[in-house]
Amino acid sequence: VCSSDLHAPRMYAHLYGLIAIRIGMLFVQDLAFTAQRRNTVILSTRVPLIFSQMIMNQLSKLDVELLEDSTFQDKFQNAKENAGWRTTNMISDIFYSLQSLLQLLIAAGSLLFLNWIFALIVALTAIPTFVYQAKSAQQVWSIWALNTPTRKRYNYLYYNLQQASSLKELKLFQL
């Protein structure tokens, strides 16, 4: 009898255990994704409705002369258009950030448990990528955020290039 034959049932039991854990994790992952999709749908439908109700309730309490003020009308229109989806996006981003943080902690814990030197190498190689991504995100934000000067200039030029009457103004001011 070979000595490796004596350990075969234990190896298979260990393998079966790992397969069972993997199947369980797939089930948990599918359950989490289903819950995430359900919550996203609920969030994207209920939050705008709640904010619309809040805005309308506050609007009904205001004086009529304030409703005729153009500055107030601009702010009110902005609130109606943006409050629901901005809040929904912020809540979704918080949930996705928490999910990413949990995944990072699980991966880091697994690496530390398996081999702390390898975990250190992975962490050190990730630092330059993180710095690059942070700087790149800052540049993209400054270009595409709605109220930045770059975005306002882009919108102005884009609008003017779409109309033939505005082309004279562009040529005159050499924009």
Side-chain angles (χ1 to χ4, degrees), residues 28-150:
V28 169
Q29 181 183 17
D30 187 49
L31 186 65
F33 285 149
T34 302
Q36 184 178 11
R37 283 190 300 270
R38 180 183 175 276
N39 289 337
T40 300
V41 168
I42 290 172
L43 187 66
S44 64
T45 55
R46 287 190 182 169
V47 170
L49 288 174
I50 290 170
F51 271 100
S52 294
Q53 288 175 344
M54 288 172 54
I55 289 171
M56 292 303 160
N57 286 338
Q58 291 299 321
L59 186 65
S60 67
K61 297 175 186 176
L62 297 176
D63 293 333
V64 175
E65 66 183 44
L66 184 61
L67 296 175
E68 295 174 357
D69 183 23
S70 63
T71 305
F72 174 78
Q73 285 293 329
D74 289 342
K75 290 180 182 179
F76 174 68
Q77 189 65 27
N78 192 16
K80 275 193 336 186
E81 291 174 357
N82 296 323
W85 70 267
R86 285 184 189 251
T87 307
T88 303
N89 284 352
M90 182 183 71
I91 293 171
S92 295
D93 289 347
I94 289 171
F95 282 135
Y96 286 127
S97 297
L98 291 174
Q99 176 187 356
S100 297
L101 180 64
L102 181 64
Q103 289 173 342
L104 178 69
L105 290 175
I106 290 171
S110 300
L111 279 175
L112 286 173
F113 179 74
L114 293 173
N115 189 345
W116 68 271
I117 295 173
F118 185 66
L120 181 66
I121 292 170
V122 168
L124 289 176
T125 56
I127 290 173
T129 304
F130 175 75
V131 171
Y132 171 76
Q133 288 290 334
K135 288 184 179 184
S136 174
Q138 185 178 14
Q139 284 181 329
V140 168
W141 176 258
S142 70
I143 292 172
W144 292 108
L146 291 175
N147 294 324
T148 61
T150 307

